[in-house]
């Protein structure tokens, strides 16, 4: 470990005093100008985590996702690509807050952590770091790297600008793959494009039968999706990337991107729809770090229709269910869908009542959904906002491989389904929700089923819903239970909400404190647009006045 004097000099260069940090839904996220201290301590913490995990490489992503350009944040990625182990969130918070107090407090806390976690600070280890396209990224990276220097035995690999899922993927591959395989963006593109190639072979297409418009939120997903799709002839002239101005810092997520489209339920800037209806036209929006995607289209009447995370979860559930049936595997494989309270009531109904698939509800945030999804052989998890993926158990992958090895004599339909299942385990980025890989996977399902976006949408009808944000003096007073569907405090507020909900048809509403912004979120759905809007506004008033 670095000597006290040198560490102190680094601390003084990067840390400021007097701010209290808390660990949010997915790491620390604040205005970029108050993040230097927490970046420095995250460098230290990521180092500790790598050393604690026998020197495996730990990933760090500097991003504030869909948030405005002046924000930034940081998340820590485990060696297999998951979010930081939750029991370590308190260490991350404590270290940041001690550093925000004084050097002495930081040094004491660090020493205690090393001791209680029994960390050998002399061993080697590794950190993989990347950032999104924000202006504050390089400065925060510098503070982060200074923190990592607390342990001179650690190697840092700086990947520059990546999407969040690329960093998750490369972190996981760094730990999984032999030394002689170069862990770079090429590896990422090859992985998903080679799976995609099998899809085009199976479906026998030479040109994509869709007119695909991508809104890249003026974030890093723009150049990356172009780098990916331009490698394949099948996409030639079939897609267009809008809002690809990733070097214009102020444009990031502004009036565009997945969050804008989902929240406002309308087209983003830069995506226009033609005069005449085109059944093959499909649009999608990424968020700023490309770990979310939502699709949408305009129906023959010209009305905007959103195909969000719930629609993706149900599409995958239906598709995999069909493949499991036709390959004769449905009895051996447990498939489930994991959602949050934001999932539209109609989607859960469709899954349970129409498809007969089991549905679990967890708190918001990938760490919660992922954790629950890995309990299934095929665990499909999506937040309504478009963040999600599918995870496949190793038992399922082994079963597939052994069936594929022995079943080549069985019916062509069954063999084809086994092959498709196997391709999808490789087409989907299982480490985390990934706009690029999710986009390919959705297109692949539509191709195989020969569905248009409208056909996909017609499986069920969403209940009209509204999400609003209420700024309150202290959002920490809002405590929830039952996977965030009910409030425990402030006292009596839940009863008041329930009383309001009972006045509307098919209605549901819940309130939770945001984990990424200083605000409280109110969700409402009901049988009609007017009712959903009115209920959200009424519950919002209750929150404001409590
Ligand atoms: C973070 C989460 C996202 C969640 C959102 C909720 C990850 C990687 N990201 O962006 O899944 O939907 O926070 O934000 O977990 P909120 O707490 O402000 O509503
Ligand atoms: Zn994101």
């Amino acid at each position: 470990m670095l000597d006290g004097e040198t560490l102190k000099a680094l601390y003084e260069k990067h840390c400021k005093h007097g701010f209290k940090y808390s660990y949010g839904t997915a790491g620390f996220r604040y205005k970029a100008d108050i993040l230097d201290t927490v970046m420095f301590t995250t460098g230290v913490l990521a180092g500790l985590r790598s050393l604690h995990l026998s020197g495996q490489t730990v990933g760090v992503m500097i991003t504030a996702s869909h948030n405005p350009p002046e924000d930034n944040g940081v998340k820590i990625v485990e060696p297999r690509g998951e979010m930081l182990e939750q029991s370590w969130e308190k260490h991350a918070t404590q270290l940041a807050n001690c550093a925000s107090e004084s050097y002495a407090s930081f040094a004491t806390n660090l020493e205690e952590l090393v001791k209680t976690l029994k960390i050998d600070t002399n061993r080697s280890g590794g950190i993989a770091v990347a950032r999104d396209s924000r202006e504050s990224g390089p400065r925060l990276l510098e503070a982060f790297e200074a923190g990592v220097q607390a342990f001179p035995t650690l190697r840092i690999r700086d990947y520059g600008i990546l999407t969040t899922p690329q960093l998750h993927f490369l972190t996981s591959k760094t730990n999984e793959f032999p030394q002689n395989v170069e862990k770079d963006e090429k590896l990422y593109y090859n992985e998903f494009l080679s799976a995609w190639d099998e899809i085009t072979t199976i479906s026998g297409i030479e040109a994509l039968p869709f007119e695909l418009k991508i809104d890249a939120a003026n974030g890093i997903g723009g150049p990356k999706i172009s780098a990916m799709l331009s490698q394949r002839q099948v996409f030639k002239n079939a897609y267009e990337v809008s809002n690809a101005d990733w070097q214009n810092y102020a444009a990031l997520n502004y009036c565009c991107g997945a969050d804008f489209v989902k929240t406002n339920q309308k087209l983003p800037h830069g995506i226009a729809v033609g005069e005449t209806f085109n059944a093959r036209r499909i649009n999608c929006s990424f968020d700023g770090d490309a770990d979310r995607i939502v699709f949408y289209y305009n129906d023959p009447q010209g009305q905007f229709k959103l195909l969000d995370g719930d629609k993706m979860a149900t599409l995958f559930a239906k598709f995999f269910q069909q493949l499991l049936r036709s390959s004769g595997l449905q009895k051996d494989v447990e498939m489930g869908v994991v959602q949050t309270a934001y999932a539209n009531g109609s989607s859960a109904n469709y899954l349970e009542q129409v498809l007969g698939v089991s549905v679990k509800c967890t708190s918001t945030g990938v760490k919660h959904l992922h954790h629950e999804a890995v309990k299934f052989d095929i665990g499909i998890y999506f937040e309504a906002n478009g963040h999600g993926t599918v995870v496949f158990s190793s038992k399922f992958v082994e079963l597939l491989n052994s069936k594929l090895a022995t079943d080549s004599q069985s019916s062509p339909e069954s063999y084809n389904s086994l092959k498709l299942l196997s391709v999808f385990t490789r087409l989907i980025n299982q480490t985390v929700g990934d706009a690029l890989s999710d986009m390919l996977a959705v297109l692949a399902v539509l191709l195989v089923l020969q569905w248009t976006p409208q056909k996909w949408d017609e499986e069920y009808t969403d209940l009209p819903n509204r999400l609003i944000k209420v700024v309150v003096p202290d959002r920490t007073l809002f405590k929830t239970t039952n996977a965030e569907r009910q409030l425990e405090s402030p006292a009596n507020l839940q009863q008041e909400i329930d009383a309001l909900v009972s006045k509307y048809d098919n209605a549901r509403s819940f309130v939770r404190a945001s984990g990424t912004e200083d605000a409280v979120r109110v969700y409402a759905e009901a049988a009609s647009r007017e009712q959903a809007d009115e209920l959200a506004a009424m519950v919002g008033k209750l929150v404001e006045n409590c």
Side-chain angles (χ1 to χ4, degrees), residues 434-490:
D434 181 340
L436 278 59
S437 134
D438 283 346
M439 188 189 88
L440 292 182
V442 165
L443 292 175
V445 175
L446 297 179
L447 269 178
V448 175
L449 295 177
Q450 302 191 332
W451 276 14
T452 60
Q454 194 179 1
K455 174 84 181 78
W456 167 18
D457 195 23
E458 279 165 4
E459 285 293 298
Y460 69 89
T461 307
D462 271 325
L463 281 171
N465 57 89
R466 183 63 62 203
L467 180 63
I468 59 169
K469 196 162 82 175
V470 184
V471 177
V472 295
D474 183 4
R475 77 186 201 277
T476 63
L477 297 177
F478 292 77
K479 298 212 179 352
T480 59
T481 177
N482 190 15
E484 302 181 326
R485 288 172 290 193
Q486 282 170 307
L487 279 172
E488 279 182 333
S489 92

Side-chain angles (χ1 to χ4, degrees), residues 29 63-66 75 164 287-292 387:
R29 206 174 284 181
T63 175
S65 186
H66 59 282
K75 32 190 169 193
T164 293
D287 72 340
D289 62 337
D291 61 353
R292 285 190 199 180
H387 196 137

Side-chain angles (χ1 to χ4, degrees), residues 245-267:
D245 201 1
W246 64 279
Q247 281 157 312
N248 176 3
Y249 301 127
L252 179 68
N253 298 321
Y254 182 71
C255 289
C256 59
D259 197 56
F260 174 87
V261 173
K262 169 75 183 159
T263 315
N264 298 289
Q265 304 185 23
K266 65 176 189 194
L267 293 174

Side-chain angles (χ1 to χ4, degrees), residues 58-367:
V58 162
V60 169
M61 184 71 200
I62 302 173
T63 175
S65 186
H66 59 282
N67 289 90
E70 62 276 16
D71 290 11
N72 214 329
V74 62
K75 32 190 169 193
I76 303 174
V77 177
E78 291 280 275
R80 297 272 155 262
E82 302 104 343
M83 308 299 292
L84 175 69
E85 149 81 37
Q86 281 180 56
S87 64
W88 271 58
E89 291 179 2
K90 61 175 184 294
H91 303 320
T93 315
Q94 211 179 23
L95 204 57
N97 286 329
C98 288
S100 182
E101 230 171 82
S102 66
Y103 177 72
S105 171
F106 161 72
T108 314
N109 187 237
L110 175 56
E111 210 174 294
E112 274 167 19
L113 275 177
V114 169
K115 217 192 290 162
T116 47
L117 296 167
K118 300 196 180 62
I119 288 170
D120 172 6
T121 55
N122 292 318
R123 64 159 312 130
S124 59
I127 304 287
V129 61
R131 59 196 156 87
D132 70 13
S133 57
R134 284 162 204 269
E135 190 173 15
S136 57
R139 189 192 85 233
L140 296 177
L141 174 68
E142 214 180 291
F144 170 79
E145 288 185 332
V148 179
Q149 281 174 39
F151 309 104
T153 49
L154 290 178
R155 288 162 281 115
I156 304 187
R157 172 139 191 202
D158 173 11
Y159 279 104
I161 304 184
L162 290 183
T163 69
T164 293
Q166 286 183 318
L167 188 268
H168 281 254
F169 174 88
L170 291 170
T171 303
S172 153
K173 290 294 181 211
T174 301
N175 293 297
E176 178 194 322
F177 265 38
Q179 292 280 327
N180 58 1
V181 175
E182 179 55 16
K183 269 70 78 179
D184 57 10
E185 275 185 68
K186 223 162 107 198
L187 183 71
Y188 172 91
Y189 296 128
N190 284 345
E191 172 103 354
F192 300 110
L193 284 173
S194 60
W196 171 263
D197 291 343
E198 293 185 50
I199 295 285
T200 53
T201 311
I202 292 171
S203 28
I205 55 152
E206 273 168 22
L208 191 75
F210 294 109
E211 200 183 289
L212 173 66
K213 300 264 187 262
I214 302 166
D215 153 27
N218 294 315
I220 190 55
K224 303 298 184 190
I225 192 67
S226 295
M228 190 172 196
L229 301 188
S230 61
Q231 294 183 32
R232 288 299 182 272
Q233 189 65 22
V234 66
F235 291 110
K236 200 156 188 240
N237 302 324
Y239 75 99
E240 198 179 289
V241 186
S242 302
N243 299 322
D245 201 1
W246 64 279
Q247 281 157 312
N248 176 3
Y249 301 127
L252 179 68
N253 298 321
Y254 182 71
C255 289
C256 59
D259 197 56
F260 174 87
V261 173
K262 169 75 183 159
T263 315
N264 298 289
Q265 304 185 23
K266 65 176 189 194
L267 293 174
H269 279 199
I271 299 246
V273 284
E275 302 272 291
T276 47
F277 174 66
N278 173 356
R280 298 267 156 209
R281 167 81 184 262
I282 183 161
N283 313 302
C284 63
S285 286
F286 300 170
D287 72 340
D289 62 337
D291 61 353
R292 285 190 199 180
I293 182 168
V294 294
F295 290 85
Y296 42 97
Y297 70 103
N298 272 36
D299 71 8
Q301 287 72 44
Q303 211 190 335
F304 172 85
K305 292 292 184 89
L306 183 66
L307 296 156
D308 62 1
D310 301 339
K311 289 279 181 180
M312 282 185 264
T314 50
L315 179 72
F316 286 128
K318 179 167 177 120
F319 180 65
F320 289 133
Q321 188 180 55
Q322 279 187 3
L323 293 181
L324 289 175
R325 281 197 185 130
S326 52
S327 60
L329 286 182
Q330 82 269 31
K331 292 225 165 52
D332 309 307
V333 174
E334 210 192 332
M335 182 173 83
V337 174
V338 187
Q339 304 186 308
T340 70
Y342 290 111
N344 196 278
S346 296
S347 70
N349 262 348
Y350 168 83
L351 287 163
E352 285 175 327
Q353 314 296 332
V354 181
L355 300 186
V357 170
S358 48
V359 177
K360 288 256 156 23
C361 185
T362 70
S363 297
T364 302
V366 169
K367 59 191 178 196

